[in-house]
């Protein structure tokens, strides 16, 4: 059981920021990454639609005999926590570990993400479910997704847009800021500059990878192998963007050729 792969999915390629941390912290695990590239973006869609897509993707991953599913996409995690569906394997999302980590820094916390993530109110609901009493400020930053996809992380225009979105949060005395979108860890230097490095940035991929080690139990066990975990990449569309973005996000970690799949 413990040597079966872990399934991980995102609306596209950005979820590799989570995959990268999982591979780094759990090098003995096999992973099957599924990017629903044909239907991205998720972050501009309704939570109902995202939940429907997510359920289809999870069922596809079950065909690969995964032992657990990680929802790397924040918009999909938000929809799942609003409309949970039953599966035969444990499901992990990126919102819960971020809330747990933010609680360690205290109130108030900030969250930035797509509109689906910030407007769905999922962080507030999750804090309440976890019994954590914290004030939360959130800000949708939808333009930051295409800027990362254009490889404009280190661009004065991007810094200006980041500043425009985040300046209102800068005055609120945040104790931490959750990078609540798969693409945002790529912008951490620019975001840090707005807060003069005074606000800890929470990278959900890292928080989740640590959580998986702690969440082992009767229904979920990590592999006993210490390295040589295998990776397969499945996508619903293969575009020229894939190579460039995936290599930038995985920063040097080897990535196999994607396999084109159909969700129907
Ligand atoms: N992966 C999405 C997220 O983390 C960002 C891209 C999209 O909107 O599909 O919310």
């Amino acid at each position: 059981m413990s040597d079966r792969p872990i399934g991980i999915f995102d609306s596209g390629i950005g979820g590799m920021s989570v995959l990268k941390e999982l591979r780094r912290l759990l090098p003995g695990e096999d992973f099957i990454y599924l990017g629903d590239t044909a239907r991205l973006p998720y972050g501009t869609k309704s939570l109902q639609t995202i939940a429907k897509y997510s359920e289809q993707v999870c069922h596809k991953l079950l065909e690969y005999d995964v032992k657990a599913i990680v929802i790397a996409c924040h918009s999909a995690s938000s929809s799942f926590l609003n409309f949970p569906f039953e599966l035969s394997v444990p499901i992990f999302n990126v919102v819960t570990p971020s809330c747990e980590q933010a609680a360690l820094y205290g109130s108030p916390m900030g969250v930035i993400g797509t509109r689906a993530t910030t407007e769905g109110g999922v962080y507030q609901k999750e804090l309440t479910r976890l019994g954590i009493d914290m004030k939360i400020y959130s800000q949708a930053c939808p333009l930051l997704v295409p800027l990362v996809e254009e490889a404009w992380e280190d661009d004065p225009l991007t810094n200006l847009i980041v500043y425009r979105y985040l300046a209102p949060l800068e005055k609120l005395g945040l104790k931490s800021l959750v990078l609540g979108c798969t693409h945002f860890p790529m912008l951490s230097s620019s975001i840090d500059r707005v807060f003069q490095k005074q606000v800890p940035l929470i990278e959900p991929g890292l928080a989740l990878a640590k959580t998986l080690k702690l969440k082992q139990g009767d229904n979920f066990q990590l592999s006993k192998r210490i390295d040589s975990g295998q990776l397969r990449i499945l996508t619903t569309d293969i575009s020229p963007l894939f190579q460039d973005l995936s290599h930038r996000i995985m920063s040097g970690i080897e990535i196999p050729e994607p396999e084109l799949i159909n969700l129907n």
Side-chain angles (χ1 to χ4, degrees):
M1 135 82 171
S2 62
D3 283 341
R4 284 158 58 201
I6 295 178
I8 165 167
F9 86 90
D10 179 44
S11 55
I13 300 155
M16 288 189 181
S17 61
V18 176
L19 175 68
K20 181 169 92 177
E21 299 301 342
L22 291 173
R23 293 273 283 164
R24 201 164 60 78
L25 256 80
L26 308 170
E29 291 298 320
D30 288 349
F31 288 99
I32 299 191
Y33 179 96
L34 197 163
D36 191 8
T37 39
R39 297 192 293 194
L40 66 78
Y42 279 13
T44 53
K45 300 197 166 69
S46 71
L47 289 180
Q48 284 92 338
T49 297
I50 302 170
K52 189 177 75 189
Y53 288 176
S54 303
E55 200 167 357
Q56 288 166 348
V57 169
C58 286
H59 283 291
K60 177 55 79 177
L61 281 170
L62 289 178
E63 291 175 19
Y64 292 80
D65 195 29
V66 295
K67 65 183 171 192
I69 293 180
V70 169
I71 310 180
C73 177
H74 297 259
S75 308
S77 292
S78 301
S79 79
F80 171 72
L81 286 161
N82 275 293
F83 309 105
F85 39 83
E86 291 291 322
L87 285 186
S88 53
V89 298
I91 308 188
F92 299 97
N93 69 83
V94 274
V95 172
T96 309
S98 304
C99 288
E100 289 166 342
Q101 193 172 332
L104 302 176
Y105 292 110
S107 184
M109 71 186 269
V111 177
I112 53 175
T114 64
R115 286 202 198 292
T117 298
T118 56
E119 290 172 11
V122 70
Y123 284 84
Q124 192 60 68
K125 283 186 198 154
E126 196 52 9
L127 287 174
T128 306
R129 192 188 68 81
L130 294 167
I132 300 169
D133 182 19
M134 274 214 318
K135 184 140 188 61
I136 174 165
Y137 294 103
S138 56
Q139 172 69 53
C141 306
L143 288 178
L144 302 186
V145 173
L147 289 171
V148 170
E149 291 181 353
E150 279 302 311
W152 285 12
E153 295 94 288
D154 213 2
D155 189 282
L157 195 57
T158 302
N159 290 334
L160 208 60
I161 295 172
V162 167
Y163 184 78
R164 171 87 192 261
Y165 276 135
L166 301 188
L169 292 181
E170 200 262 322
K171 299 173 180 62
L172 299 173
L174 299 181
K175 299 289 194 310
S176 67
L177 178 70
V178 176
L179 305 182
C181 173
T182 47
H183 294 52
F184 294 177
M186 302 283 283
L187 296 171
S188 48
S189 315
S190 182
I191 295 168
D192 255 340
R193 228 168 285 140
V194 178
F195 296 97
Q196 291 113 46
K197 293 197 172 176
Q198 297 304 305
V199 176
L201 304 183
I202 296 180
E203 291 211 19
L206 191 56
L208 176 83
K210 290 180 187 158
T211 299
L212 284 192
K213 286 193 170 183
L214 303 172
K215 294 280 156 90
Q216 294 185 82
D218 289 345
N219 66 347
F220 176 65
Q221 285 292 320
L222 291 170
S223 169
K224 303 277 179 294
R225 290 181 307 232
I226 51 166
D227 56 20
S228 310
Q230 303 294 307
L231 172 62
R232 275 177 82 177
I233 310 273
L234 316 174
T235 56
T236 50
D237 181 51
I238 297 178
S239 73
L241 182 70
F242 179 87
Q243 291 293 348
D244 172 57
L245 185 57
S246 58
H247 284 101
R248 275 192 290 124
I249 293 178
M250 294 295 270
S251 51
I253 300 173
E254 208 183 315
I255 310 167
E257 280 300 310
E259 304 165 41
L260 189 61
I261 55 143
N262 194 332
L263 289 177
N264 303 317

